[in-house]
Structures are given as C-alpha cells and as structure tokens.
Amino acid sequence: MKEKEIKDFVKERYSKIANKTDSSSCSCCSGTEMDGIIMQAKAVGYSDEEIKSIPADAIFGLGCGNPTALAEIKKGETVLDLGSGGGIDVFLAANKVGDAGKVIGVDMTQEMVKTATQNAEAGGYDNVEFKLGEIENLPIEDNSIDVIISNCVINLTPNKSVAFKEVFRVLKDGGRILISDIVTEGELPDAVRKSFQAWSECTAGAMEKQDYLETIKKAGFKDVEIIKQHFFTEPKLDERLVGKITSVQVRALKEETVSDDKTACCGESIVGAPEKETDMNLGCCGETGDMKPESEIGESDECGCGGEFPDESLVKNPDEPKNMVDPDLLKGFEKFAHAMGIVSIGYTKVIPELINAEEPLYPNAIVLTLEMGEDIIETPPGPEAQQLNDATYAKLGNITYALSDFIRANGFVTQVAHPYGGMVGFSQLGQKAGLGWIGQSGLLISPELGPRQKISAIFTNIENLPLNNNVDHSWISDYCGKCGKCIKACPEKALIETKSCCGKEIEFIQKRCIGCSQGCTYCIGDCPFDEKGYEHVKNKFDKMNAKLTLKKSKSGC
C-alpha cells in the first residue's frame, strides 16, 4: 500500500463525514445519528457540560479520548489541535485559553476546515483559527505553540516519525503535548493492515505501543509517559481486534534550552533542569517505579496492596439500568474477557465479611483472575521485580475497566475494584466465587494458575449471574496445613506459625511482607501448586489420603 493511496482514501472518507454522507461506523467513531454521536463522545471521556458548551455540529464522535481534559490548558496559551475535524477540541480549548489565548486547528480535508470555520462563526469564537494542512508538513511557525493536542488522528498518518518531528518543531521550548491515540498490543492480521477501510477506521495504521512511545522520544521529546489507557472496545468491534487495541493518552515535554545546565545522575546533561523537589515516583534515570509509600499500604492480609483507585471506566453508568442479563450477552462478555487475557471468571454475592474499606455500591461481584508471568517469579525482590509486579496490577486494572465499559454499554451499572486496591479481600472473594481456595500464604490457589494470579472484581446490579459457591477446592486447606513451604520461603518472616487450642495457625504480618514494596514472590515460587501444578498436587494428596484410610481400616480405627 502506497502512502499517497492511503491518504487519498482517508481524505475521501472524512470529507464524506464532514458532508454527512458517510453513515458507516468504525473503531474510533460511531454513526451519524446524533444520539449515537453524543453517546460515543461521552464514552471516550467528554462530559455533558463540555458537550453542551460548544456548537453541536462540531461533534462527530470521531475521537478515542478527551485530550483537553488532561492537557492542563491555561489562560493566555496558544494551543494547536492536530486533525481538528469539526472543531470539538478546538472549541473546548478556546473556552480554557480565554480572550488572551488562541487555538489553531489543522486538518487535511477542505470540507472539515470549512465545517469547523462555520461552527466557529455560529458559536461566536474570535480566538480560534482553522487551517488546511497535513501533520507531516504543518502550516505553523517554528517554536510558536504552547500546547499541542490531538485526538485519534496521528494513527491515520503512514509516517508517524515525520509527524512527531513536525510537532516538535512548532512547539515552544518548555511546551507540552497531550495526544489521545490508538495503539496495538499484539499482532494484527495482515488483512486488517492492508485494508484501506481499516486505515480510515484508525486500526490499520496503529503502531505497537512501545514503538509509538519510542517514536515520540526519537523526535526529541522528554518525559514521555502514558497517563491514562484502556483496552478499546465497542459493540461491533472486529473479533480479530479484541484485546489488541488500546486507547492511550500520552503526555510529553519539549525541554527548555537555557544556559544554566544541570547534570543528571546518569551523566547526561539536562539543559535548564528546573529547581524543584524530586518526584519520588521517578527512578534515577527517569524510570517509573510505582511503588506505594508505606503510609498508603493497607493492613489487609489479601492480595491487593491497598490505596484508593478512582473508577476509570470510560462509559458512564446508565441512568435507568437493566438488572437481568441475557445468557448470550454474558457469554459474549466472557469471550471478550478471555480474549484480553483473563483466565478465570467467577460470580458471587458480596457479604460484609469480605469488605475491607467502603461498602461496594452493588451487591453482586464478577471476579477476574490474570496470570502473573514467570519473569515476576524468577526475578529476586527489588525495583525490577516491583516494576514487573506493578505492571501486572496495572494491566489487570485496565482490562477490568474495559470490561466494566462493556457491561455499562449494554445497560447495566458497575463499580470497579482495582486489583491494587484494598476495597475487598480479593482472595476471599475468589474463594467464595468458586475459583479456588485460600492457602496458608493467604493467596488464592486455583486449578488454572495455582497461587500465581492477580485478582480484580466488578460489582454490579445484575441479579441473575450464575453464582458458584462450590467447595470443590476446600481440600487445599488440609494439604497446605501439612506442607508449610511458603512459611519457610518467606525471607522477612511475614508468615508465622503459632499454636492455639485448636492446633496450628498461620499469622500473616502485613508490615513485614515486601510483596507490595519489592515485588517479592518467594512464597509463590516455592509453592508446590506453582512448581508441580494443581492436578499433580491433588493426585498426590488423594493418594496420601487413600493410604491413610487403608491404614486406619487395617488397624480397626
């Protein structure tokens, strides 16, 4: 596929959208019916107040985020919107910069520029301007822009490296970008990559996530970070793309060039480094270390390391929710969940004994598990292990938000319990949902993953979930009582064996555990369920019991 052919097809399609002659839907936009357009705008992050504050004809439902909400736009700034379409983000930014500021929108289709200009005139906007141009050759002067935003547009250009270099050129020293875009996590089929339609629908041109971030860095930007991300989903999403497309909000800075040089700890010269307190979440060389301070680590003896996590589902809860789910819809939900990497799904009622902090808004729980990779288990405690551990928590959190969005989009209300949070006892919740049984380490042991899993939950109002409160895995308690390997494996003595009137008991001392501060997994790595597998341990346990039973019968006991 040639670059010019791709651009021509994209231009033609978005020209039709501007003229309201294209009624098709795509992975980053919805149909032209107004209700659907407004619903899509809300789904990607625009509030009712924002939508009502701008001309209605500026809203096409074409984005994958709300960059103006995260760009921290200030009064008097000059803002550039790449791929401005009907002007939705230009007008929202114009409301923020005020009369002393200015917002410029650039779009490669004449029809969109014309539509946006008409919208500006109708809305009485004097601080905006729309220009015809391409991202790879912006009609903007060097070093003239304070903030650059873009909403699901850069994925449309075949040459993203040139595009980001142009962005860097026009941005002032010390300026910043906030880009909402689509990236991939996993290989897309060749048929999708070679489809003109898929290019215009924001999928074929999407880069792999890490490559996308590296492209921004190579253009000259510093402090490149994803500040928000979700797996992208919509009801008609191609099944081949499920779990492979992510909506990201990326922020980056163009360093100031002043004479007062500072030297970084890694020996690099940082020009104009500001005098301010060090961000404790950054490592020596800019690596992120999302380790929580001790004051934020909860006292809960469950997986989940405490702290509050606001619900980041993109779709709002419906005002008039349904409460009975169709079995086929639930099957579709489970298929979607498994496609994104969820291993086990369980359903249960939330009882008071499971609640650690605030009481969930809804009485029923969908419990989800995600595998912890071998790399986490094999890495000794320390910053690297913690980074791997936190990445798994974050991945499960993002998957859970996407699944919450799926449920909400189909008419039900939800509340997400982030796996790193302390709202509930996740191991206990998993046990009640029939996914496994809690071992001596306090971790859930399941047939699929043993103790090597992270757990999250979605609380919902759905009344007819297929609850599973079986006790098929209760034998694990007896086995673990005879094993004790996890106790011996713990280097910090967080698991203490004590004696009581009822026999031996295991006390878990949260403050001693370094699982949440250094990514320690020794209790998992030494567990027979992880080393040998659930079936192997179960067969061994059954044979031991059979021998004991036979011995007792022979002795007449």
Side-chain angles (χ1 to χ4, degrees), residues 316-332:
K316 290 185 177 180
N317 275 321
D319 294 329
E320 297 181 5
K322 298 182 287 186
N323 59 10
M324 302 295 285
V325 66
D326 183 90
D328 289 337
L329 178 60
L330 196 61
K331 287 180 182 178

Side-chain angles (χ1 to χ4, degrees), residues 55 57-58 60 84-88 90-91 105 107 109-126 128-132:
D57 287 342
F60 286 100
S84 48
I88 178 172
V90 168
F91 298 131
D107 201 281
T109 58
Q110 184 68 59
E111 289 79 3
M112 280 292 186
V113 172
K114 180 180 178 182
T115 297
T117 302
Q118 291 171 345
N119 289 333
E121 293 171 354
Y125 285 88
D126 296 325
V128 305
E129 179 184 5
F130 293 94
K131 295 186 175 186
L132 183 66

Side-chain angles (χ1 to χ4, degrees), residues 2 40 49 94 149 151 155 176 206 228 242 251 261 287 328 351 356 373 381 399 415 428 447 474 485 511 552:
K2 295 181 179 180
Q40 178 65 15
E49 292 75 16
I149 58 175
N151 197 347
N155 65 74
R176 61 197 183 278
K228 199 171 184 179
V242 172
R251 181 169 56 199
D261 291 1
E287 298 175 349
D328 289 337
I351 58 176
N356 292 331
I399 292 172
Q415 178 187 18
Q428 292 172 320
S474 59
K485 281 191 174 183
K511 290 183 178 180
K552 287 180 180 179

